[in-house]
Amino acid sequence: MDFVAAPTATDNSALSALFRPQSIAIFGASSDPTRVGGRPLANMLKFGFAGAIHPINPKYREIQGLKAFASLTEVPGAIDLAILAIPAASVQQTLEDCAARGVRAAIVFSSGYSEVGGEGEAAQQRLSELARRTGLRILGPNCLGMMNVGAGAICTFGQGPGFAMPPAGGISIVSQSGAFGTFTFIVARDRGLPVNLWASTGNEADIEFADCVDWLCDDPETQVIMGYMEGCRTGAKLVRALQKARAVGKPVVVMKVGRTEIGAAAARSHTSALAGSDAVYDCVFRQYGAHRAATVDEFFDVGYASLSGYRPKGRKLGIITLSGGAGVLMADTAEEVGLEVAPLPEPTQQAMRAIVPYAGVLNPVDITGQIANDRTLYRRFGRLMIAEGGYDAMVGFHSVGGLDPTGGANILDSWTALREEFPEIPIFLSLKATPELARNLEAIRVPVFEEPTRMVRAVAALCRFGESAAAAETESVAAATAMPALPTGTLSESAASALLSAAGIPMVAHEIAGSAEAAVAAAVRFGYPVALKIVSPDIAHKSDIGGVRLDLATPEAVADAYAAILNNARTREPKARIAGVLVAPMVRGGVEAVVGVHEDPTFGPIVMVGLGGVLVEVLKDVAFRMAPFGEAEALRMIGELRGRALLEGVRGRPRADVPALARALARLSVLAAQLAGRVTSIEINPLLVRAEGQGVLGLDALVIGKPAAS
Amino acid sequence: MDFVAAPTATDNSALSALFRPQSIAIFGASSDPTRVGGRPLANMLKFGFAGAIHPINPKYREIQGLKAFASLTEVPGAIDLAILAIPAASVQQTLEDCAARGVRAAIVFSSGYSEVGGEGEAAQQRLSELARRTGLRILGPNCLGMMNVGAGAICTFGQGPGFAMPPAGGISIVSQSGAFGTFTFIVARDRGLPVNLWASTGNEADIEFADCVDWLCDDPETQVIMGYMEGCRTGAKLVRALQKARAVGKPVVVMKVGRTEIGAAAARSHTSALAGSDAVYDCVFRQYGAHRAATVDEFFDVGYASLSGYRPKGRKLGIITLSGGAGVLMADTAEEVGLEVAPLPEPTQQAMRAIVPYAGVLNPVDITGQIANDRTLYRRFGRLMIAEGGYDAMVGFHSVGGLDPTGGANILDSWTALREEFPEIPIFLSLKATPELARNLEAIRVPVFEEPTRMVRAVAALCRFGESAAAAETESVAAATAMPALPTGTLSESAASALLSAAGIPMVAHEIAGSAEAAVAAAVRFGYPVALKIVSPDIAHKSDIGGVRLDLATPEAVADAYAAILNNARTREPKARIAGVLVAPMVRGGVEAVVGVHEDPTFGPIVMVGLGGVLVEVLKDVAFRMAPFGEAEALRMIGELRGRALLEGVRGRPRADVPALARALARLSVLAAQLAGRVTSIEINPLLVRAEGQGVLGLDALVIGKPAAS
């Protein structure tokens, strides 16, 4: 599935030297632990880095208690990683020296590169070229470096480690923003989340965000990959990294800013290096199974929940609570995020009523305040729900029960018993808990949240990770048909129709007439009524010049229309080359869809679908996917349309042939991938989606090829 | 604006006895501080209630160190409040005794009432009747009581006070759920929010949620009213309380569960006492200026921000940050919640670039990591933004800067200086801060958040409070026209049209023809083409029986249609009374809207608007308002439609006459309020919204009156 020119595979061994260094040289090392050149050293000494550290500074013999070297040549042994805390002017030569000496990777803190434009831009180009030429991998410039928490390799001058460290563990964080990355690191620490690796990619002269994600897929210490993004340099790298993460079962949680127009404008003014429309990023994350978080809370809620390793097998959610109100609140949220709050079987409901007559027993199950009188209720109700409800995941709400010792002990005992009886069921709890109770619940694999709605949203995210992985395993993309010949420039409607037909997309029959008589003869063959349209490579918007006549029901009407169309074209577009007039049968019935392809600068050909008219024009109700994809993915794409109910039959109309629409989209995506780089856009408008079993039919198509030179 | 039968004004002096009691009698008082009858007493002793407490229990002479009484008659002096911690069986008589003795208010903890159905329901009815008859106000039954934090009047047996108290202060919380109310109380405490009053209303035999809100409007200690609701007994009371809160400038923040279908189903199974559709609640909160929160986080974010007293005068938001990424994230959120991230004037941008050449200067302003080298940057950039940007509110993001002493001191100094220079501008900060720094910032009226997106959302909520209050001051509802005569049952189209025309809503002209010749004559008067429709009080859905013919362009077509319509009606509805055939001109052009009125069981007549076709039928894109309202409110209502762009002219169509649509909605609302209780529904479909200046025109109307008996 190499639909965009595939970059060379990331050299993961050099990235291992960066992220798991055994020996580190620090250029510009300082004795002052508050200075940029002093902080990484101080941090590594403080947090117990076990490898070799070689401070390089010609002015000193010893720095922070370590032997200092005057230059790289004096340093003994192999060096995995160089940290450059030196002015930009010296960076290029220092990196050349590092490459010559066999250093595998370097972190460049220095600023003054693409972020300042002009000469900085050129200097950054030279860094990129050096990395390509020598194989030395570079993190930065203008970055805050990286931290390997477990190894104590705290190669940053940022404020992240300034206060304390989080526990070492399964979450790795990659950030394109230093300041925001530091913020997320501290938030993670304050939430007690276990962190493995943290990296700030800065200007990405060499190592991109996607390279880091790729490496983390192979990193045994990383269970969950979290990233803050502003944009992506190489779309294909990001897609490959996301696919790899999905294949190895590691959830990817991203915050990508610039969701709105004003946000995107702010992002452009913030950094000029990033391309691609936000809607396309959104579709890429969804298509390849990453979770896109809109807030810092959501980012870490999903990251934390992912650490549990749960991937619910379906969307049936069981809700147990001692507050009816909290149950309703969680049910509301579940509905909003697409989880099923399926009712319990009637016999189970009866069994529950036999225990507490006025309990809520439908799902949400509300055991009521009776828990204060009978501590066994959680266990008994929970057992009934899990054993008989067939739920894919359970969430519970304990209010403030976790704050008092008796209540807390009972909560832990109850769920421990249920965990032992049902070792596999994903269980999540929302409650006010002491830190100790929270740790004990986590130890039995029960993630703990305070806010019940955030818990339910996190569960839904885990469901999507599971669904995406399962879908990827069964996804099959149709084989491409023979490579079509493609004229340059705008194709005639006839040529466009032929191209799409050959790709397997049903298009309405047509003939090209060179005279009024020929047009009438064609109309007789198709049967009345018919449509007539001007055919010219120079006229893209036929209606605008009076080049279209619809619903022609008699020979006279056809002949008149023929004359009028030609006359309009000659008058309004005197220089246009006229190839004739197209005659096609009028086709009615079904739902009008619009499907198309456009080329995204970052991710290549993107397929779009919308349901016609007001939904597309007024509400911009469209869905996107990167090409190519299969029919199952196309069905998910259609399912994202807000107006999808239109396909299910409204006002007594029949259900539309959704599988045929999905098939057409998948085939269009294969064609788009084949034509990548050669076509600017494809649009079929309308594509009529007829009643179930009757397929789809494209009525009009516009294909704009790239100019001849490309 | 008493559009629903107005209940008697709440007796606020009796509620003052409940919420600010000077003397309390406790029935069922216990020496055991862990028991229901022991907890309130223990709490009041612990938290220093200064009034008189009289335990009543014939078994003891002394309870928890206080003199105990055998019965109410022995208690000396006046009693404000009785707490009943006794079995349900004794409650009624005890309350009768209290009323006879002149006790003003009572809290009934006891359960076994409407929540158990049957006899419990009847017992609760007797409590309601007692309250009405005697004037004794009752909180509960089946409630957790109330807490006046400042006074130490901790009249609850719930777990809320079991751990510690929040500081006393301006937030009051009313909850229809005991367990969820307790949860919110503890969350508030853990966030350090200052709480004045907390009340659990239980089954609401007498005192309703809305009564509590009403009282809190008058309570000088309460600045912000927060409530958890599942439903409302008396719609008019709630509306009046919300209007009062808005008038006195106290923000109301509510969580109302049951937003979704599944949630509403869960709510119904949880409590049967609640009516009204959730969409109507949503419109009521919006119409009367309350903020509806969807999550516990949002609930307290808005409550906390409200304490600042800020009401931004407009929606222009200035964003200052040291992380470009966080700036983009906040700009994204601002756009989503309708705040304007307006750019700075060009000279200001230049002035900023002169300070830091590579700063982001558009808005968001990004002072970059240079803050580490120059501590004056926040102050200098902040001053430029506030003085020259014309922003209605400022938000800043300081990342983790508040955790280290130097950075924290600079943050506090910078904003203190800006506060002194600009005493009025609302300022909010997102940062990781020490508790001390957060307190110091709050002391200079700078609310502190950790999560930047939650901060921006809270600012938007404050804007809406201000806008709603301003709108209320200028809102004027049109005077009703003379009270129309209203036949019972379904009105004929002709009668419906006359009713709506008389109310000031333009309806298409029509004549009733009794013969084909008369129909043709009418068509000639209107001009062709025309529409013909059957007129019968017994046929509501005219199209379904072939009773409608459109677009009739010739005398022959009119005559044929007349015959066909009569024939269809006689064949398909042989028993229907036929009053003739309606002739009306065909009117084209403009946007089709659907407007209507239905009667909500809780809130009375509700006016609806949607834009026709797929938007209403497939996307359910409609907006609601309680009747009556003015044109400004109608404009806001129209602005809530997702498809509103359709009115602004798409595909080269002219802008539609939105003011005329608003006028028609306002007039319809006045008519609906006049007819409250007498009409089941009104629908004008379509109401054609023509080009600007050309008004609206109703083409068809259906008015269903209540059956004759009502």
Side-chain angles (χ1 to χ4, degrees):
Chain A
M1 243 165 86
D2 282 336
F3 38 86
V4 180
T8 321
T10 304
D11 178 355
N12 275 351
S13 69
L15 259 63
S16 296
L18 167 64
F19 291 131
R20 283 202 288 259
Q22 300 299 314
S23 55
I24 301 175
I26 305 178
F27 290 88
S30 165
S31 294
D32 181 349
T34 70
R35 301 192 54 136
V36 171
R39 281 194 195 176
L41 183 47
N43 284 325
M44 285 192 273
L45 294 173
K46 177 176 173 188
F47 295 110
F49 177 61
I53 310 178
H54 307 293
I56 300 180
N57 191 327
K59 292 189 225 150
Y60 301 95
R61 304 281 302 272
E62 185 185 301
I63 294 177
Q64 296 190 37
L66 294 182
K67 173 176 166 55
F69 299 89
S71 73
L72 183 61
T73 49
E74 290 176 18
V75 179
I79 301 170
D80 284 334
L81 173 63
I83 297 175
L84 277 63
I86 56 177
S90 314
V91 165
Q92 181 81 17
Q93 187 54 52
T94 302
L95 290 176
E96 296 282 6
D97 296 346
C98 285
R101 164 71 192 259
V103 176
R104 306 293 307 280
I107 295 173
V108 181
F109 292 153
S110 326
S111 56
Y113 290 89
S114 67
E115 82 280 7
V116 304
E119 171 50 30
E121 198 84 68
Q124 185 166 320
Q125 285 292 336
R126 288 193 291 275
L127 294 190
S128 302
E129 185 276 328
L130 183 154
R132 269 197 304 276
R133 170 167 46 84
T134 66
L136 175 74
R137 301 305 305 266
I138 301 171
L139 187 69
N142 189 29
C143 76
L144 287 188
M146 80 93 198
M147 299 184 259
N148 182 323
V149 174
I154 309 302
C155 308
T156 181
F157 69 97
Q159 290 179 285
F163 314 105
M165 275 286 151
I171 287 181
S172 291
I173 302 172
V174 184
S175 176
Q176 288 187 325
S177 161
F180 202 75
T182 300
F183 180 69
T184 57
F185 182 79
I186 297 295
V187 172
R189 185 202 69 185
D190 286 0
R191 284 184 66 151
L193 294 176
V195 176
N196 172 43
L197 208 96
W198 178 94
S200 147
T201 60
N203 289 8
E204 302 191 351
D206 173 32
I207 296 172
E208 299 181 21
F209 178 91
D211 295 320
C212 298
V213 173
D214 191 298
W215 186 85
L216 292 169
C217 290
D218 295 329
D219 174 31
E221 309 291 325
T222 296
Q223 295 164 257
V224 179
I225 301 169
M226 306 190 66
Y228 168 86
M229 286 185 77
E230 299 179 354
C232 165
R233 268 153 220 283
T234 317
K237 271 192 185 181
L238 181 64
V239 169
R240 200 179 48 201
L242 296 180
Q243 287 177 311
K244 185 171 171 182
R246 184 169 63 177
V248 300
K250 294 190 185 182
V252 177
V253 188
V254 287
M255 286 193 82
K256 150 84 176 65
V257 294
R259 288 195 315 278
T260 63
E261 271 178 49
I262 193 82
R268 278 192 298 276
S269 82
H270 169 48
T271 167
S272 57
L274 309 165
S277 99
D278 188 74
V280 172
Y281 279 97
D282 210 62
C283 102
V284 166
F285 294 134
R286 194 173 303 119
Q287 189 167 352
Y288 298 105
H291 179 90
R292 183 178 188 179
T295 70
V296 180
D297 288 338
E298 184 188 349
F299 186 62
F300 283 114
D301 287 347
V302 177
Y304 167 70
S306 295
L307 277 177
S308 69
Y310 290 134
R311 298 294 178 278
K313 291 185 173 59
R315 290 184 159 258
K316 283 179 71 178
L317 182 69
I319 301 175
I320 184 166
T321 166
L322 46 65
S323 155
V328 178
L329 182 65
M330 290 189 281
D332 276 340
T333 308
E335 165 109 343
E336 280 166 358
V337 297
L339 297 176
E340 287 171 53
V341 187
L344 283 165
E346 186 55 46
T348 312
Q349 297 188 32
Q350 281 170 17
M352 287 180 169
R353 273 196 215 97
I355 303 172
V356 178
Y358 306 107
V361 297
L362 191 66
N363 187 28
V365 164
D366 174 14
I367 63 171
T368 78
Q370 279 303 318
I371 186 70
N373 304 322
D374 180 353
R375 295 285 179 190
T376 69
L377 290 181
Y378 253 120
R379 206 176 310 188
R380 290 156 75 196
F381 276 74
R383 179 177 296 124
L384 281 166
M385 280 194 90
I386 300 172
E388 301 178 14
Y391 296 113
D392 300 305
M394 287 287 299
V395 294
F397 176 78
H398 286 270
S399 188
V400 301
L403 293 182
D404 85 281
T406 320
N410 184 54
I411 289 168
L412 183 61
D413 291 349
S414 300
W415 289 107
T416 301
L418 291 166
R419 164 55 72 231
E420 282 165 8
E421 196 171 344
F422 305 99
E424 297 301 330
I425 180 100
I427 300 168
F428 306 80
L429 292 182
S430 161
L431 74 166
K432 274 279 179 191
T434 61
E436 189 195 355
L437 176 60
R439 273 197 309 276
N440 287 335
L441 287 167
E442 288 166 354
I444 59 164
R445 209 177 166 207
V446 172
V448 174
F449 292 78
E450 178 178 308
E451 226 272 2
T453 68
R454 283 166 58 179
M455 168 174 68
V456 173
R457 286 178 184 278
V459 172
L462 299 192
C463 288
R464 284 191 299 270
F465 285 133
E467 287 162 2
S468 179
E473 283 174 16
T474 60
E475 180 76 351
S476 73
V477 174
T481 51
M483 190 64 156
L486 186 70
T488 55
T490 300
L491 271 62
S492 72
E493 183 171 345
S494 185
S497 177
L499 178 74
L500 294 163
S501 288
I505 300 162
M507 298 296 295
V508 71
H510 68 271
E511 293 185 23
I512 310 290
S515 67
E517 295 69 34
V520 171
V524 171
R525 278 192 290 278
F526 290 130
Y528 290 102
V530 297
L532 265 61
K533 305 181 200 175
I534 190 74
V535 180
S536 164
D538 304 315
I539 301 174
H541 298 288
K542 302 181 282 281
S543 299
D544 295 354
I545 61 118
V548 177
R549 289 289 183 275
L550 303 176
D551 251 332
L552 306 167
T554 64
E556 297 72 32
V558 169
D560 291 353
Y562 184 92
I565 284 173
L566 276 193
N567 187 51
N568 287 342
R570 285 184 188 129
T571 315
R572 307 270 293 271
E573 292 281 352
K575 292 184 181 159
R577 293 160 291 170
I578 309 292
V581 172
L582 180 150
V583 184
M586 288 298 300
V587 182
R588 286 239 163 65
V591 177
E592 287 193 3
V594 183
V595 307
V597 178
H598 79 275
E599 180 136 320
D600 182 83
T602 306
F603 294 101
I606 305 293
V607 176
M608 185 272 292
V609 65
L611 302 177
V614 73
L615 289 173
V616 170
E617 288 172 33
V618 176
L619 294 188
K620 318 289 181 218
D621 182 21
V622 295
F624 296 101
R625 283 294 184 280
M626 263 183 78
F629 51 83
E631 293 177 30
E633 188 71 37
L635 283 173
R636 285 189 286 275
M637 182 184 181
I638 296 163
E640 286 168 19
L641 294 174
R642 281 182 280 164
R644 61 188 174 276
L646 200 59
L647 296 166
E648 288 152 16
V650 285
R651 279 199 284 193
R653 283 163 23 165
R655 295 172 63 86
D657 198 337
V658 174
L661 176 58
R663 200 153 49 242
L665 284 166
R667 285 175 180 170
L668 181 62
S669 80
V670 171
L671 176 68
Q674 271 188 295
L675 296 176
R678 295 196 289 146
V679 165
T680 302
S681 72
I682 302 176
E683 185 175 293
I684 310 177
N685 183 10
L687 178 75
L688 222 52
V689 189
R690 305 167 89 175
E692 268 183 318
Q694 297 181 26
V696 298
L697 192 63
L699 300 191
D700 200 345
L702 182 63
V703 177
I704 303 181
K706 290 249 166 119
S710 75
Chain B
M1 239 164 87
D2 282 334
F3 38 86
V4 180
T8 321
T10 304
D11 178 355
N12 275 350
S13 69
L15 260 63
S16 296
L18 167 64
F19 291 134
R20 284 201 289 259
Q22 300 298 313
S23 55
I24 302 175
I26 305 177
F27 291 87
S30 166
S31 293
D32 180 349
T34 69
R35 300 190 57 132
V36 171
R39 282 194 195 176
L41 183 48
N43 283 327
M44 285 191 272
L45 294 173
K46 177 174 174 190
F47 295 110
F49 177 61
I53 310 177
H54 308 292
I56 299 181
N57 192 327
K59 292 190 227 152
Y60 302 95
R61 305 282 301 272
E62 184 186 301
I63 294 176
Q64 298 191 34
L66 295 183
K67 173 174 165 55
F69 299 89
S71 72
L72 182 61
T73 49
E74 291 177 19
V75 178
I79 301 170
D80 286 334
L81 172 63
I83 297 175
L84 275 63
I86 56 177
S90 315
V91 165
Q92 182 81 16
Q93 187 53 52
T94 302
L95 290 175
E96 297 282 7
D97 296 347
C98 285
R101 163 73 191 259
V103 175
R104 309 291 307 281
I107 295 173
V108 181
F109 292 153
S110 326
S111 56
Y113 289 89
S114 67
E115 80 281 7
V116 305
E119 172 48 31
E121 198 84 68
Q124 184 166 323
Q125 286 292 335
R126 288 192 292 275
L127 294 190
S128 302
E129 185 275 328
L130 183 152
R132 267 195 304 275
R133 169 167 45 85
T134 66
L136 175 74
R137 301 305 305 266
I138 300 170
L139 187 70
N142 188 29
C143 75
L144 287 188
M146 80 95 200
M147 298 185 259
N148 182 323
V149 174
I154 309 303
C155 307
T156 181
F157 69 97
Q159 290 179 285
F163 314 106
M165 275 287 151
I171 287 180
S172 290
I173 302 173
V174 184
S175 175
Q176 288 186 327
S177 160
F180 202 75
T182 300
F183 180 69
T184 57
F185 182 80
I186 297 295
V187 172
R189 186 202 68 186
D190 287 0
R191 284 183 65 151
L193 294 177
V195 176
N196 172 45
L197 208 96
W198 178 94
S200 145
T201 60
N203 290 9
E204 302 192 352
D206 172 33
I207 296 173
E208 300 182 18
F209 178 90
D211 294 321
C212 298
V213 174
D214 191 296
W215 185 85
L216 292 169
C217 292
D218 296 328
D219 174 30
E221 310 291 324
T222 296
Q223 295 165 256
V224 179
I225 301 168
M226 305 189 64
Y228 168 88
M229 285 184 78
E230 299 179 354
C232 165
R233 268 154 221 281
T234 317
K237 271 192 186 181
L238 181 64
V239 169
R240 201 181 47 202
L242 296 180
Q243 287 177 311
K244 184 172 173 182
R246 184 169 63 175
V248 300
K250 294 190 184 181
V252 177
V253 188
V254 287
M255 285 194 82
K256 150 83 176 67
V257 295
R259 288 195 315 278
T260 63
E261 272 179 50
I262 193 81
R268 277 192 298 275
S269 81
H270 168 49
T271 166
S272 57
L274 309 166
S277 99
D278 189 75
V280 172
Y281 279 98
D282 211 62
C283 102
V284 166
F285 295 134
R286 196 174 299 120
Q287 188 166 354
Y288 299 105
H291 179 90
R292 182 178 189 178
T295 70
V296 181
D297 288 338
E298 184 188 350
F299 185 64
F300 283 114
D301 286 348
V302 176
Y304 167 70
S306 296
L307 278 177
S308 69
Y310 290 135
R311 299 294 178 275
K313 291 184 175 59
R315 291 186 159 258
K316 283 179 72 179
L317 182 69
I319 301 175
I320 184 166
T321 166
L322 46 65
S323 155
V328 178
L329 181 65
M330 290 189 282
D332 277 340
T333 308
E335 166 108 343
E336 280 166 357
V337 296
L339 297 175
E340 287 172 53
V341 187
L344 283 165
E346 186 55 46
T348 312
Q349 297 189 31
Q350 280 170 20
M352 287 180 167
R353 273 196 215 98
I355 303 172
V356 177
Y358 305 109
V361 296
L362 192 66
N363 186 29
V365 165
D366 174 14
I367 64 171
T368 78
Q370 278 303 317
I371 186 69
N373 303 322
D374 181 352
R375 296 286 179 187
T376 69
L377 290 182
Y378 254 120
R379 206 174 310 187
R380 290 157 74 197
F381 276 75
R383 179 177 296 124
L384 281 166
M385 281 194 91
I386 301 171
E388 302 179 13
Y391 296 113
D392 300 304
M394 288 287 301
V395 294
F397 176 79
H398 286 270
S399 186
V400 300
L403 293 181
D404 84 280
T406 320
N410 183 54
I411 289 168
L412 184 60
D413 292 349
S414 300
W415 289 108
T416 302
L418 290 167
R419 166 54 73 232
E420 282 166 8
E421 196 170 345
F422 305 99
E424 296 302 330
I425 180 100
I427 299 168
F428 306 80
L429 293 181
S430 160
L431 74 166
K432 274 280 180 192
T434 60
E436 189 195 356
L437 176 60
R439 272 197 310 275
N440 287 335
L441 286 168
E442 287 167 354
I444 60 164
R445 210 178 165 205
V446 172
V448 175
F449 291 79
E450 179 177 309
E451 226 271 3
T453 68
R454 284 165 57 179
M455 167 174 67
V456 172
R457 285 177 186 279
V459 172
L462 298 193
C463 287
R464 284 191 298 270
F465 285 132
E467 287 162 2
S468 179
E473 284 175 15
T474 61
E475 180 76 349
S476 73
V477 175
T481 50
M483 190 64 158
L486 187 71
T488 56
T490 299
L491 271 62
S492 73
E493 182 171 347
S494 188
S497 178
L499 178 73
L500 294 164
S501 290
I505 300 162
M507 298 294 297
V508 71
H510 68 271
E511 294 185 24
I512 311 288
S515 67
E517 295 69 34
V520 171
V524 170
R525 279 191 291 278
F526 289 131
Y528 290 102
V530 295
L532 265 60
K533 305 181 201 175
I534 190 75
V535 180
S536 164
D538 304 315
I539 301 175
H541 298 286
K542 301 180 283 283
S543 299
D544 295 355
I545 60 117
V548 178
R549 289 289 183 275
L550 303 176
D551 251 332
L552 307 166
T554 63
E556 296 74 32
V558 170
D560 291 355
Y562 184 92
I565 284 172
L566 277 194
N567 187 50
N568 288 342
R570 287 186 186 127
T571 315
R572 308 271 290 272
E573 294 280 352
K575 291 185 182 160
R577 292 161 291 170
I578 308 292
V581 172
L582 180 149
V583 185
M586 289 297 300
V587 182
R588 287 239 163 67
V591 177
E592 286 192 5
V594 183
V595 306
V597 177
H598 78 274
E599 180 136 319
D600 183 83
T602 306
F603 295 101
I606 304 293
V607 176
M608 184 271 293
V609 64
L611 301 177
V614 74
L615 289 173
V616 169
E617 288 171 34
V618 176
L619 294 188
K620 319 286 182 222
D621 181 21
V622 294
F624 297 101
R625 282 295 183 282
M626 261 183 83
F629 51 83
E631 293 177 28
E633 189 69 38
L635 283 173
R636 286 188 287 274
M637 181 185 180
I638 296 164
E640 285 168 19
L641 294 173
R642 280 182 279 164
R644 61 187 175 276
L646 200 59
L647 296 166
E648 289 153 14
V650 286
R651 278 200 283 193
R653 282 161 27 161
R655 295 172 63 85
D657 198 338
V658 175
L661 176 58
R663 200 154 47 240
L665 284 166
R667 286 174 179 170
L668 181 62
S669 80
V670 171
L671 176 68
Q674 272 189 294
L675 297 176
R678 295 197 287 145
V679 165
T680 301
S681 72
I682 302 177
E683 185 175 292
I684 309 178
N685 183 11
L687 178 75
L688 223 52
V689 189
R690 305 167 88 176
E692 266 182 319
Q694 296 182 26
V696 299
L697 192 64
L699 299 191
D700 201 344
L702 183 63
V703 176
I704 303 181
K706 290 245 167 120
S710 73

